[in-house]
Amino acid sequence: MELEYSVPECPICFATYDNVFKTPLLLPCSHTFCMECLSKLCIFQKELETFCCPMCRAVVTIPTGGIPKLPPNMNIAARFPPWMVWRCGDDMATVPSDPEEHIGSLLECPICYVPYDNVFKTPLILPCSHTFCMECLSRLCLFLHKSQEFPCPFCRILAQIPPEGVPKMQPDLDVVAHLPPEMRTLQDVWADGCKLCWRKKNDSSEGRGSVVTLHLLSSGGEQRPAPGGLIVVQRTGCRAFFQSVWGIGLTILTVGILLFAVLFLPIYLNQK
């Protein structure tokens, strides 16, 4: 008889737990996450001794020895297959004390998995300390009012859109400091309706820069922003016709003629 083993997943990365880097670690608030995700969350907080649970925001103290020394969730470990030997104590997997060895995996947006840069992929940090690229956050807030709030894609904590748009949110300078030297100077990017704009300087023989745009909508057509920061959705075809004043009037007239022809014309013909 073949046994089936169902191992839960980390609620952050949705990867199946294992007994190495994906070890399920139990927080005092009873929430469980994998060792890798918790290590990434705290890798830039070397001067801090605590961090917040990604789910309930409860404060957790980082133990001596780092995140790998947090207690494992033995209830989940009991569901591991027999060939996945559980490790504990000194045999448990650890991460290097030098974060530079694992910094490469942190320099990409956790939504689109594209490496950060200093233009459209600028790393922006939310009040909850989660970081995402400018393009992904701009797509997420494309149909929201400016100065409106939106939930963090990870922990659902609300963040406010600046009056100038998503590109003016605070950059994550810790991540920027680990970019290549030529990318550590952040460029001036602004939002213009459904696109992001960047003025590329000194790229022509005349010394004047050109504007590079990134359309946030998959359709190629450009749309103009409506008052209040909303996007106008252009209607075409029959739907636009019937929703116009002339379309409504013509529709009423056509229905009236048809009703007259069906109801009154036979009566008039029978009387003759």
Side-chain angles (χ1 to χ4, degrees):
M1 180 178 178
E2 184 178 354
L3 298 178
E4 295 184 359
Y5 297 91
S6 177
V7 181
E9 300 174 342
C10 172
I12 296 180
C13 63
F14 299 105
T16 304
Y17 291 119
D18 60 24
N19 62 332
V20 192
F21 298 118
K22 292 295 179 181
T23 298
L25 300 181
L26 182 64
L27 303 185
C29 56
S30 300
H31 291 129
T32 300
F33 307 93
C34 73
M35 181 190 300
E36 180 181 352
C37 287
L38 290 180
S39 298
K40 288 182 177 180
L41 180 65
C42 303
I43 197 168
F44 292 117
Q45 302 179 4
K46 294 183 291 185
E47 70 281 0
L48 301 179
E49 298 180 353
T50 60
F51 68 96
C52 293
C53 169
M55 286 287 193
C56 65
R57 314 307 298 166
V59 178
V60 181
T61 301
I62 302 176
T64 303
I67 292 297
K69 299 305 179 182
L70 285 169
N73 190 327
M74 301 304 297
N75 291 328
I76 294 180
R79 302 170 62 179
F80 284 174
W83 59 86
M84 189 178 291
V85 180
W86 177 250
R87 302 179 182 181
C88 59
D90 295 335
D91 293 332
M92 184 178 291
T94 59
V95 295
S97 58
D98 184 8
E100 296 295 335
E101 298 184 19
H102 285 269
I103 201 67
S105 61
L106 299 178
L107 297 182
E108 61 182 21
C109 174
I111 296 180
C112 62
Y113 299 105
V114 175
Y116 292 118
D117 59 26
N118 60 336
V119 190
F120 300 125
K121 290 295 179 181
T122 299
L124 302 179
I125 187 169
L126 304 184
C128 57
S129 299
H130 291 132
T131 301
F132 308 94
C133 74
M134 181 188 299
E135 180 182 350
C136 286
L137 290 181
S138 298
R139 293 181 188 275
L140 180 66
C141 305
L142 185 59
F143 296 101
L144 297 179
H145 289 281
K146 294 179 179 178
S147 300
Q148 191 174 351
E149 294 181 332
F150 68 96
C152 168
F154 273 0
C155 63
R156 317 309 295 171
I157 297 294
L158 294 178
Q160 189 174 25
I161 305 175
E164 299 83 5
V166 171
K168 301 306 178 184
M169 297 186 71
Q170 180 180 356
D172 192 333
L173 298 180
D174 288 328
V175 176
V176 173
H178 289 88
L179 293 175
E182 64 274 10
M183 292 186 181
R184 294 177 186 174
T185 301
L186 298 180
Q187 301 297 310
D188 184 21
V189 180
W190 68 94
D192 182 11
C194 61
K195 59 187 178 183
L196 295 176
C197 302
W198 164 52
R199 186 175 301 279
K200 189 176 182 181
K201 299 179 180 179
N202 299 330
D203 63 338
S204 64
S205 58
E206 299 179 0
R208 294 180 298 176
S210 60
V211 176
V212 180
T213 59
L214 173 67
H215 289 270
L216 300 174
L217 293 178
S218 56
S219 58
E222 180 179 355
Q223 301 185 21
R224 299 181 181 274
L230 293 180
I231 301 298
V232 177
V233 179
Q234 303 292 338
R235 299 183 177 89
T236 58
C238 296
R239 183 178 179 183
F241 173 75
F242 285 112
Q243 290 184 352
S244 64
V245 176
W246 289 103
I248 294 175
L250 185 58
T251 302
I252 295 175
L253 180 61
T254 303
V255 173
I257 294 175
L258 290 176
L259 289 176
F260 176 81
V262 172
L263 298 178
F264 299 102
L265 187 59
I267 299 176
Y268 175 76
L269 294 177
N270 289 334
Q271 289 180 350
K272 292 183 65 177

